[in-house]
Amino acid sequence: MKRGLKLCIIVMVLLALGAVGASAKGRSNLRLGLEFGNPNAVLIIRPAPFDFKIGYNFAAPGYLFFSADYRIVNAYQVVDILHFFLGLGAYTNIYFEPTEFSLGARIPLGLQIFLIDNVVELFLEVAPTVGFLPALTAFPEWQGFIGFTILIR
């Protein structure tokens, strides 16, 4: 579990650096939100163009989920209020029974709708993954979410 603790600390440092970088720009691009899917419940911290997620999967075996993505395309307008996003990032799952973790890359893509003068975002996301640890595997899982964020001004 020592490796898992080190990973948690690294993720928290990345989150803090991203939030500081977003606030240093002078205007707020910070969004906070929740999403539900696979894993079950996830907290979103998005200092644009970065997207950090911390979550938990309640299904057996339960695990903590962390991801850090960079949005290559963010809020590309498809029609009217419907937008598209595409990113590239990394994820880790820390399992408790048995104590182990997995690490891999993810490609999040999805659709988003902005409401109330772009303050509220509703989105649908899917993210195919490539696992690196414990073994190299293509598409060991598809992470998928439905959720919302709120712009912090």
Side-chain angles (χ1 to χ4, degrees):
M1 187 64 182
K2 288 183 181 182
R3 289 188 291 180
L5 180 60
K6 288 179 185 178
L7 186 60
C8 289
I9 292 170
I10 289 170
V11 169
M12 296 307 265
V13 168
L14 288 174
L15 288 172
L17 289 174
V20 167
S23 63
K25 288 184 174 182
R27 64 182 178 94
S28 178
N29 287 331
L30 181 63
R31 289 185 168 277
L32 300 177
L34 295 172
E35 59 188 18
F36 306 95
N38 179 27
N40 302 123
V42 177
L43 172 67
I44 305 164
I45 303 168
R46 186 179 303 144
F50 298 100
D51 194 357
F52 301 106
K53 299 177 182 180
I54 303 170
Y56 188 78
N57 193 356
F58 296 97
Y63 60 87
L64 282 174
F65 167 81
F66 298 98
S67 74
D69 303 326
Y70 179 79
R71 290 218 172 163
I72 299 166
V73 176
N74 189 27
Y76 177 80
Q77 187 174 13
V78 178
V79 292
D80 197 25
I81 63 170
L82 183 65
H83 296 79
F84 170 78
F85 66 88
L86 171 68
L88 183 61
Y91 76 94
T92 186
N93 296 329
I94 301 172
Y95 299 89
F96 300 112
E97 294 296 327
T99 305
E100 61 182 43
F101 78 99
S102 61
L103 178 69
R106 51 185 255 124
I107 305 168
L109 57 114
L111 296 173
Q112 55 198 157
I113 296 174
F114 292 101
L115 305 171
I116 311 171
D117 199 25
N118 290 340
V119 172
V120 176
E121 170 200 19
L122 304 175
F123 67 89
L124 176 65
E125 172 184 303
V126 295
T129 63
V130 175
F132 296 127
L133 292 174
L136 182 61
T137 53
F139 307 115
E141 67 178 333
W142 281 71
Q143 299 166 352
F145 305 100
I146 187 167
F148 70 92
T149 64
I150 297 173
L151 180 65
I152 305 299
R153 294 184 189 209

